[in-house]
Amino acid sequence: MTTLPERDDRKTTPAIQEGVVRWRSPSNIAIVKYWGKYGEQMPCNPSLSLTLSKAYTETQIRFGPRKEEVPAREFSFHGNPAPQFARRIESYLERLADVFPVINETDLHIDSENSFPHSAGIASSASAMSALALGIGEIAYKAESKFPDKAFMQRVSQLARLGSGSACRSVFGPAALWGEAPEIPESSQEYAIPVEIHSDFHRVCDTILIVDDAAKAVSSRAGHMLMEGHIFASARFAQARSNLKRLLPALRNGDFETFGRIAEDEALTLHAMMMTSKPAYVLIKPNTLAIIEEIRKLRQERKVPVCFTLDAGPNVHLLYPGSAKKVVEEWIGETLMPLCKNGLLIHDRVGTGPEKLE
Ligand code: PMV
C-alpha cells in the first residue's frame, strides 16, 4: 500500500519572506538496481547506490510571498528559460504543495545547472530532483523558522522519491539504501537511508564512459512499467534481494571482488529485463559490449580490480578502488577512450552527499 508523506495539517499556512536557497546534489549509481515500481514511486525491490561526487546539479531558488492569485513559477537551466522541463517541475511542485501548503503561497524562481555536459547522456533526474526537493524543503522549513536537521534529510529523501525514485538515494552519501530489506530494520519503502561502508569504498572511482549521448529510445518510466506482468518479474525481485543480502557485508568488509560480481550481475540483468520485456528493447550498443570485454580482459590477464555497471542506457560505469587509479586511468586512455563517443568520459568518484551552498 502506498503511504503518502505526512501532510502539514496546520490550519494557517506559515508566512513566507523573501530569500534565496541553493543546494548542490549529486547523482548516484545503483549497484543493486531499482527496476519496477508500484503505487506512488514505491520500489518492487530494495536498491543500493554509491553517491557520486563530480556529477551533480546545483539549484538556486529565489522565493517570496505570492504576488498574484496564482503563484509565479519560473524555471531556467544554465541561465536560459527551460520550458521543456516546466511541466514535469510544475506537477512535482503541485505534489510538494500537498505536503507543504506554504508552497502555494510562494513565488518561485528556479535556476539549475548540471556539472556534466548535457550531451553526456547521463540521466540527471536523480541529482536534479534531489536538489529541488532540498531547496523546496528548506523554504518550507524557513517558513516555520526551522533549520535543516537529520529528520529534514529523511523527509527530503521521501519528497525526492516523488520526483524520481532514484533521487531519494542522492540525499545521502557515500552509500544509500532505498526499500525495505530485512537485514536493515530502519530501511523503508518511502525514503532512503545512509549505509555505512568500509573506508576503501569511500575511495572507489567511477569513470563514466560515454558510448552514446542520444536521448534514450525508451524512458526509465516506461521501462519500470514494463516490469508489470514481466515474465521474469518475481525472479528478478528475488535476485535483487539476494544480491543486496550479499552486497551489504561485502561493502562493510571492503570486499571489492564480491562487490564487482554483484555489480555486473545486476547491470546485465537490468538489460536482460529490457531485452525480454514486451515489447522488447535494447539500449546497449556495440561499444558497450566492446568495453565490457576489455574490462574483463584487464581483470583476468593483469589481475587489476575493475568491474562495471550500467544505467538504463548504453554508457558504462567503470568502478575501481582508489588504490588502482593510476594504472586504470592509464589503461582507460589507451584502450577505452577510443571506444567512447568523441572520446568523452567523466572521471568521478564516491562522494559524501548534498551540500548546502551560501
Ligand atoms: O529513478 P528512475 O525512475 O529514473 O529509475 C532509475 C533506474 C535505474 O537507474 C536503472 C536503476 C537505479 O536504481 O537507479
Side-chain angles (χ1 to χ4, degrees):
M1 218 188 81
T2 308
T3 329
L4 301 180
E6 214 175 290
R7 189 191 150 91
D8 243 323
D9 248 345
R10 282 150 311 121
K11 295 269 181 306
T12 53
T13 317
I16 198 88
Q17 312 219 316
E18 289 203 346
V20 182
V21 292
R22 283 181 72 205
W23 283 88
R24 172 185 295 171
S25 192
S27 187
N28 68 73
I29 180 68
I31 305 305
V32 172
K33 308 286 181 185
Y34 148 59
W35 199 242
K37 61 180 172 180
Y38 63 93
E40 200 176 16
Q41 308 266 69
M42 292 296 203
C44 291
N45 63 262
S47 59
L48 189 147
S49 56
L50 296 178
T51 307
L52 296 180
S53 167
K54 292 188 192 155
Y56 58 77
T57 301
E58 273 183 18
T59 294
Q60 167 175 299
I61 310 177
R62 276 190 299 113
F63 60 95
R66 169 164 68 82
K67 293 192 190 71
E68 309 285 337
E69 199 172 323
V70 179
R73 303 286 184 244
E74 223 176 73
F75 316 103
S76 56
F77 187 59
H78 288 261
N80 300 313
Q84 70 274 32
F85 303 127
R87 248 194 66 207
R88 184 164 179 194
I89 298 178
E90 259 164 41
S91 69
Y92 180 51
L93 290 175
E94 276 168 28
R95 183 63 189 86
L96 294 188
D98 287 343
V99 185
F100 297 124
V102 69
I103 295 306
N104 281 332
E105 306 304 318
T106 311
D107 287 344
L108 299 168
H109 303 271
I110 302 171
D111 185 41
S112 280
E113 288 186 9
N114 288 343
S115 63
F116 42 90
H118 186 59
S119 63
I122 297 178
S124 59
S125 62
S127 55
M129 287 301 177
S130 53
L132 189 55
L134 284 156
I136 297 292
E138 190 188 349
I139 293 169
Y141 263 49
K142 270 184 193 295
E144 296 173 22
S145 307
K146 288 203 291 198
F147 288 99
D149 53 10
K150 201 171 159 223
F152 170 80
M153 294 310 256
Q154 184 174 302
R155 194 127 195 245
V156 164
S157 173
Q158 193 170 3
L159 298 175
R161 185 196 97 230
L162 302 175
S164 166
S166 57
C168 74
R169 297 187 310 239
S170 277
V171 173
F172 301 104
L177 166 71
W178 169 39
E180 272 165 21
E183 299 79 17
I184 308 226
E186 320 82 87
S187 60
S188 167
Q189 292 289 88
E190 312 259 353
Y191 47 80
I193 56 167
V195 176
E196 293 212 0
I197 57 176
H198 191 278
S199 57
D200 286 356
F201 278 107
H202 290 237
R203 290 190 291 275
V204 159
C205 301
D206 176 4
T207 297
I208 310 167
L209 303 150
I210 311 302
V211 170
D212 194 25
D213 55 6
K216 280 185 282 183
V218 180
S219 68
S220 288
R221 190 166 168 269
H224 285 294
M225 278 165 62
L226 288 172
M227 285 306 286
E228 267 175 50
H230 193 296
I231 185 170
F232 297 134
S234 61
R236 160 60 198 150
F237 302 143
Q239 177 204 34
R241 284 188 204 102
S242 129
N243 274 342
L244 178 68
K245 191 173 174 185
R246 292 189 302 128
L247 179 63
L248 288 165
L251 285 172
R252 264 196 310 272
N253 302 333
D255 176 356
F256 190 83
E257 203 181 317
T258 303
F259 167 86
R261 269 203 296 271
I262 295 168
E264 296 188 1
D265 185 37
E266 283 285 314
L268 295 176
T269 305
L270 170 69
H271 284 264
M273 290 301 111
M274 299 173 195
M275 293 180 206
T276 50
S277 61
K278 289 197 171 52
Y281 62 107
V282 181
L283 295 185
I284 52 173
K285 301 280 178 199
N287 277 359
T288 311
L289 295 176
I291 289 175
I292 290 175
E293 275 188 24
E294 291 297 343
I295 292 170
R296 289 186 163 162
K297 235 188 340 192
L298 180 76
R299 187 165 62 215
Q300 274 151 22
E301 291 174 6
R302 291 175 53 192
K303 309 287 173 228
V304 180
V306 282
C307 67
F308 68 85
T309 187
L310 304 165
D311 256 338
N315 302 328
V316 181
H317 287 248
L318 173 66
L319 302 165
Y320 47 99
S323 55
K325 192 170 179 329
K326 194 163 172 286
V327 53
V328 175
E329 284 190 0
E330 245 172 58
W331 165 80
I332 291 173
E334 288 158 13
T335 315
L336 300 187
M337 210 181 220
L339 298 168
C340 295
K341 180 132 190 214
N342 303 322
L344 187 60
L345 50 84
I346 296 168
H347 288 301
D348 207 337
R349 50 163 296 164
V350 168
T352 50
E355 223 179 296
K356 178 170 157 47
L357 305 173
E358 292 312 321

